Amino acid sequence: MDVELGHRILRLRERVVSNFDAGNWEEIGLLTGFSGLIKGHTRLLRSLHWGDEDYAGNALNVLNGIAAQNLDAIRVIESYCDEKFEEESHYISAKPSEKKITFCPSVFEVPNVQVESDLVAVMMPFDAGMSSVYQTIQNSCTHVGYRALRADNIWEHSVIIQDIFSLIFRASVVVVDFTGKNPNVMYETGIAHTLGKLVIPISQSIEDVPFDMRHHRVLKYLPNNEGLQALANELAAKLRQVSA
């Protein structure tokens, strides 16, 4: 698959995840002749129904399968989206939802940008002692085809919270490091959850993770060579699962 086609499919995946319900998938199946592939996928419609975090990955898997067999079918789906959803909505959440909300924050502005499917936003303390952890996260993301950025990598606004919000908004995945119980990280995690982002929590100590977050699987790591390598492997595995 060439790079241009890959980007087309990723953009189409974003529109599909943002807008499709089961009825839309059924209509696409009829229009393209791929009803069997869609209904036969073991997780697609189930993950859509239950709002599972792997729905975006399942949608991408189906679109890739269709593209591999018939490129004209991809054009049909693109035209279908143009007709059904005239104004392409921002792809914010990795999960579909029965309810949509419109919000107008007063502390920062909602950026006029699209979500970048390969972008991972990293929220962690701005501490020189954490530089090796951030480097590990960057290397792990690069290894599986993602880009990792933190707010100190960019400077687009005079107010740092605007850069942080814009970075979270653009990202498809947010990694949050709770090490040290940093209050800024807690605040940023709340933003990410409100925007419906897939949040991957990590920490050197489970005691640093807020009680309300402990029901989520936390990637616990040690800040030594062996521990950072283990973190890199676990994070890469999680990102592969998301993009599969």
Side-chain angles (χ1 to χ4, degrees), residues 27-214:
E27 290 174 1
I28 284 299
L30 291 173
L31 291 172
T32 62
F34 281 98
S35 293
L37 187 152
I38 292 169
K39 293 179 180 178
H41 192 283
T42 56
R43 287 285 303 157
L44 176 69
L45 296 180
R46 183 179 176 185
S47 61
L48 167 62
H49 177 74
W50 292 106
D52 293 337
E53 65 181 31
D54 64 340
Y55 172 60
N58 293 325
L60 182 61
N61 185 265
V62 169
L63 293 172
N64 274 331
I66 292 173
Q69 297 183 50
N70 187 347
L71 280 180
D72 286 336
I74 293 297
R75 297 188 187 94
V76 170
I77 300 173
E78 289 171 332
S79 296
Y80 176 90
C81 288
D82 290 340
E83 180 180 344
K84 286 280 187 179
F85 317 110
E86 293 182 2
E87 293 186 1
E88 185 173 343
S89 59
H90 288 299
Y91 171 59
I92 299 173
S93 176
K95 292 185 177 183
S97 175
E98 292 182 359
K99 294 183 178 179
K100 305 290 183 181
I101 62 170
T102 299
F103 65 99
C104 184
S106 58
V107 177
F108 31 71
E109 296 180 358
V110 179
N112 185 24
V113 296
Q114 293 292 325
V115 172
E116 300 170 30
S117 59
D118 66 337
L119 179 60
V120 174
V122 182
M123 303 294 129
M124 63 190 304
F126 295 151
D127 186 326
M130 299 289 287
S131 59
S132 61
V133 178
Y134 180 48
Q135 186 64 56
T136 296
I137 295 170
Q138 282 189 304
N139 293 342
S140 182
C141 290
T142 300
H143 185 66
V144 292
Y146 282 83
R147 297 176 294 121
L149 287 177
R150 345 184 257 198
D152 60 336
N153 295 139
I154 55 178
W155 190 359
E156 298 176 351
H157 304 89
S158 59
V159 180
I160 190 171
I161 188 58
Q162 183 61 51
D163 280 334
I164 290 171
F165 179 80
S166 297
L167 177 58
I168 295 172
F169 188 95
R170 287 164 48 206
S172 62
V173 179
V174 180
V175 173
V176 296
D177 192 333
F178 289 118
T179 300
K181 298 182 179 180
N182 186 282
N184 293 325
V185 174
M186 311 289 186
Y187 179 79
E188 292 150 9
T189 302
I191 293 174
H193 280 158
T194 300
L195 290 176
K197 301 296 179 176
L198 172 61
V199 174
I200 301 177
I202 68 174
S203 182
Q204 294 176 21
S205 170
I206 196 67
E207 298 303 317
D208 288 346
V209 180
F211 178 79
D212 289 349
M213 281 287 295
R214 292 185 189 175

